[in-house]
Amino acid sequence: MRWSVPLGRIFGIALRLHVTFLLLVAFIGYQGYLVAGGRGAGWAVALVCSVFACIVIHELGHSVVAQRLGVEVRSITLLPIGGVAALRTIPENPWHEIAITLAGPMMNLIIACLLLPFTGWPTEFLLVHYPHDLAGLLKTLVGVNLGLFGFNFIPAFPMDGGRLLRAVLALFVSYRRATVVAATVGQGLAILFIVAGLKFSAMWIILGAFIFLAAEGEEKAVKMRSLLRDIEVADVMTREFVTLTPQAPLREALTAMYRTGQDDFPVQEGDRLAGWLTRQAVIDAINSHGEDTPVAAVMDADPPVLSPRNKVSWVHEQMMADHYQGFPVMENGRLVGLLGPDNISRYLLLQESLKPKRPARAPTPTPPPVIAAVPPTAAPPPPATTLPPADRA
Ligand SMILES: [Zn+2]
């Protein structure tokens, strides 16, 4: 996640802190200061840090159980709105999802039970007063943990309750159907929150809107995964493309971008893949060093490559996780195709528009790859005054 800094590793999982979290600490500290001066600020900061420690333990609960079930956990990031554990793969076995989901709120229940003998029953949950001593801090923490435990059972994405509802439904119907039903329940609740917010508090309206959008996002993500599940890189990769040589000046790459719409270029030396050149690298290098810079100076000399047999769903996860935009596809040491986000989005668009669905896999043998090269004597590009935008849609 951008704008997050590493804090270290726990159980092999990278713990990261989003910089906006520091703004929250400063804000809460200032509120504490307004209530009770320097001491108030100190206790307020202690409270917000303790609450986030509990959230880390909650996320670790999810993560450690996920690891035990063979799901790789990439990182836990602390945001001002809570924690996010990023799983590399999504568990689609309902029992696994139930176990992973329950582990988080159970951690909050355990923390509350451990502290309860020292504090007595709290009077507030989630809505907290700033504490002014250790006893007050611990009592507030019990309330917060019980509040988090209850809050996470609201059956709406992105709360754990939404995942739990989906997993239980998935014991009876398909994963995708279960997601649609769980998302609809969540959106129904979101509308109730918004209506309640009109009467009680604007906070409910914000929460309702947030839940409504999260449900939609989850439904889309699952629909996409199910559409991508059975297709392989060979089914959707680009087979006609331009290659560059390491010695070519970047002017050639720019010309090829204008003329072909291709953004990333395999760099070939004879039959060997020598590197990978991205549009962003071309833009940055031309802006700082000019169009005569050779491709070899800015290409990635050791790019990750795909096999035509790789699952597209897996590739998509790598793209999302590692911010790779495109890949060369190699078979038996030979470059046979390119795959980028455009290939995937085009496939999804077609699948969603066609009725009935027609798979990408062609019934006839696919034609051999055609590899074109940019003529070195290419004319200057059309009179565009600006470079294309840096970020792809
Ligand atoms: Zn959770």
Side-chain angles (χ1 to χ4, degrees), residues 55 58-59 62 83 100-105 108 152 158-161 163:
I55 291 174
H58 171 113
E59 297 302 330
H62 291 309
I100 293 169
T101 307
L102 278 178
N108 297 115
N152 269 298
M159 269 85 80
D160 291 329
R163 285 170 211 294

Side-chain angles (χ1 to χ4, degrees), residues 117-177:
F118 306 100
T119 64
W121 193 252
T123 46
E124 286 195 327
F125 307 90
L126 290 184
L127 296 170
V128 291
H129 275 132
Y130 293 110
H132 43 77
D133 55 18
L134 184 62
L137 176 77
L138 293 180
K139 194 166 187 167
T140 303
L141 277 183
V142 173
V144 167
N145 275 286
L146 290 175
L148 284 173
F149 177 76
F151 183 72
N152 269 298
F153 280 98
I154 295 174
F157 298 112
M159 269 85 80
D160 291 329
R163 285 170 211 294
L164 208 55
L165 174 63
R166 186 241 315 269
V168 171
L169 290 168
L171 293 171
F172 306 100
V173 297
S174 75
Y175 188 80
R176 189 165 158 189
R177 182 90 202 113

Side-chain angles (χ1 to χ4, degrees), residues 106-118 142 145-146:
M106 291 317 282
M107 289 294 138
N108 297 115
L109 188 63
I110 291 169
I111 295 170
C113 290
L114 289 176
L115 292 178
L116 204 52
F118 306 100
V142 173
N145 275 286
L146 290 175

Side-chain angles (χ1 to χ4, degrees), residues 237-242 262 336-338 367-372:
M237 69 184 187
T238 302
R239 290 163 187 273
E240 292 180 32
F241 49 84
V242 172
Q262 188 177 324
V336 292
L338 311 183
V370 182
I371 301 177

